[in-house]
Amino acid sequence: MLMRTAMHPISSRQTATVGRNGPPPRHHASGNSLDLMGAPMPFARNVEIYGEDEPAEYLYKVVSGAVRTYRVLNDGRRQIGAFLLPGDIFGLEAGATHGTSAEAVADSVVLVIKRSAVMALAERDPDVARQLWTLTAQELGRAQNHMLLLIRNAQERIASFLLEMADRVAGGNSVELPMSRQDIADYLGLTIETVSRTLTQLEAEAAIALPTSRRVVLRNRSALSELNA
Amino acid sequence: MLMRTAMHPISSRQTATVGRNGPPPRHHASGNSLDLMGAPMPFARNVEIYGEDEPAEYLYKVVSGAVRTYRVLNDGRRQIGAFLLPGDIFGLEAGATHGTSAEAVADSVVLVIKRSAVMALAERDPDVARQLWTLTAQELGRAQNHMLLLIRNAQERIASFLLEMADRVAGGNSVELPMSRQDIADYLGLTIETVSRTLTQLEAEAAIALPTSRRVVLRNRSALSELNA
DNA sequence: CGACCATTTGATATGGATCAAGCGATGTGG
DNA sequence: CCACATCGCTTGATCCATATCAAATGGTCG
């Protein structure tokens, strides 16, 4: 059983992790307590932002583009745990090292925030501590939902994915997907072929339209919601 | 696709949730900062400890027996997210409500701890706050591992499960499983038949022995570890 | 002993993986 | 600016792991 999956592509070679190149220049960004003192940093498509088991020196917030976090099995099978979209925070760890790897799905800009600064703040301010905890708890909730997703059939997984993306991207019923079919497959625990076929099938059933391969129009949300169970 | 699964059994009727019956009498238990002020409470096999979306008034620590946390899809499919064994803490939420349901797998004793007390403590003591966060982060790590599990084949899932249980139960190579085949199936995203067949198959391959259906002897850990990938 | 429940085993069906080829868009070098 | 190589996606044919349906076995409790 060796389901084809992206065998962590070019990324491992063209790594551009912050930690290795030294910290980015400081920069002030006003906003919520966790938006403090971050430096915006560009990452090209498929470039690694951090690797599993690397020391968690920074945490991150997506400004533009999209990011995937994932883990890889010995034999190369990849499970994408989350897609992060603008506004989403990622790479926040309670422990010393990252539990997943992260890569830019498309050309992206990411706010890079020093973990030590936030941790020091949390030490003194219970509200900040609570926010950190809450962020981790939300990620846990997402992970638990994702487990439920992985026991459903292909149509249900795709429907769920499309509804999720439509809700998060906020463009009404028309969504421009930032990720490839392979990314979707590795997020949903399916093969690229099954993803493609299922999308075609949903189009045939008039649940969606596919003007281009990356653009999806939800034509019948309630049909998708029923699949979403 | 309606994979048979335990349709949340008797439990919903014979609920014995703490919140509904009023708090248990106070009782002092010495130990780590989170072991404070808990009252031991017995739960019979298959009895609900708390339900999804119920207010999280208490957190819990297994004293003896075993507990399962799970979520259920509309159509009844159940995904067990974790088995909790003696020493494990569960039901700790950053938000106001529980994200999963919890039931006793076998007759169990559980330490019931008032959440408000712990929260108040965390407000003043950054170390306690950090511990709460760390506990949630560990659960997140488990959930991420579990997602990886769910994309593997049946043999790999079973092998991984057996190694996990053997490590946690700490009885050398011989493990008495507290849970039924149905529980295992719902934990691994398989059917009860596939679980049974795969165990039989591993026994035929001399990787394990099954003196009784609940007792598993690991005869060849390295064979199992290879499957564990 | 008999009823019940959990587990195993057998036979068959099927959803999604695998293997393979074609197609359209995008980018590159001549 | 066009021809060609490349890449991502779709479609087709077939296979296989696991689900499903069904029955037998075994262990437990009254």
Side-chain angles (χ1 to χ4, degrees), chain A residues 21-77:
Chain A
N21 304 334
R26 282 303 172 75
H27 185 264
H28 273 277
S30 63
N32 241 312
S33 33
L34 275 183
D35 287 16
L36 356 111
M37 286 162 280
M41 190 165 171
F43 290 91
R45 182 170 135 79
N46 289 331
V47 167
E48 179 176 89
I49 298 171
Y50 57 78
E52 199 176 329
D53 296 327
E54 279 181 14
E57 281 192 74
Y58 300 92
L59 59 115
Y60 306 85
K61 182 171 181 172
V62 182
V63 175
S64 67
V67 170
R68 57 180 172 252
T69 60
Y70 64 93
R71 287 180 150 198
V72 184
L73 289 176
N74 284 349
D75 62 8
R77 277 173 289 178

Side-chain angles (χ1 to χ4, degrees), chain A residues 53-206:
Chain A
D53 296 327
E54 279 181 14
E57 281 192 74
Y58 300 92
L59 59 115
Y60 306 85
K61 182 171 181 172
V62 182
V63 175
S64 67
V67 170
R68 57 180 172 252
T69 60
Y70 64 93
R71 287 180 150 198
V72 184
L73 289 176
N74 284 349
D75 62 8
R77 277 173 289 178
R78 180 181 69 161
Q79 175 63 45
I80 291 178
F83 291 115
L84 292 313
L85 302 178
D88 292 336
I89 288 168
F90 67 100
L92 173 61
E93 307 288 339
T97 57
H98 289 293
T100 61
S101 302
E103 291 173 352
V105 164
D107 293 347
S108 303
V109 174
V110 173
L111 204 61
V112 179
I113 302 160
K114 254 221 144 131
R115 187 172 172 275
S116 59
V118 178
M119 296 295 279
L121 194 56
E123 199 73 17
R124 284 175 286 112
D125 185 343
D127 282 347
V128 172
R130 188 164 227 298
Q131 271 189 68
L132 296 182
W133 182 25
T134 299
L135 282 169
T136 300
Q138 281 168 354
E139 204 172 326
L140 174 60
R142 264 205 306 279
Q144 284 170 338
N145 271 337
H146 207 134
M147 285 177 33
L148 270 186
L149 218 176
L150 293 176
I151 66 171
R152 306 195 199 178
N153 70 28
Q155 274 216 352
E156 292 168 336
R157 295 186 211 192
I158 295 282
S160 172
F161 169 73
L162 293 177
L163 288 168
E164 181 201 342
M165 290 307 293
D167 280 353
R168 293 175 62 195
V169 165
N173 282 331
S174 183
V175 185
E176 183 76 18
L177 300 174
M179 72 288 287
S180 70
R181 294 289 187 266
Q182 184 64 66
D183 284 334
I184 299 173
D186 289 350
Y187 182 65
L188 299 179
L190 299 170
T191 58
I192 189 178
E193 292 96 331
T194 297
V195 170
S196 183
R197 270 188 254 271
T198 305
L199 286 170
T200 305
Q201 191 182 339
L202 288 174
E203 190 176 30
E205 291 167 7

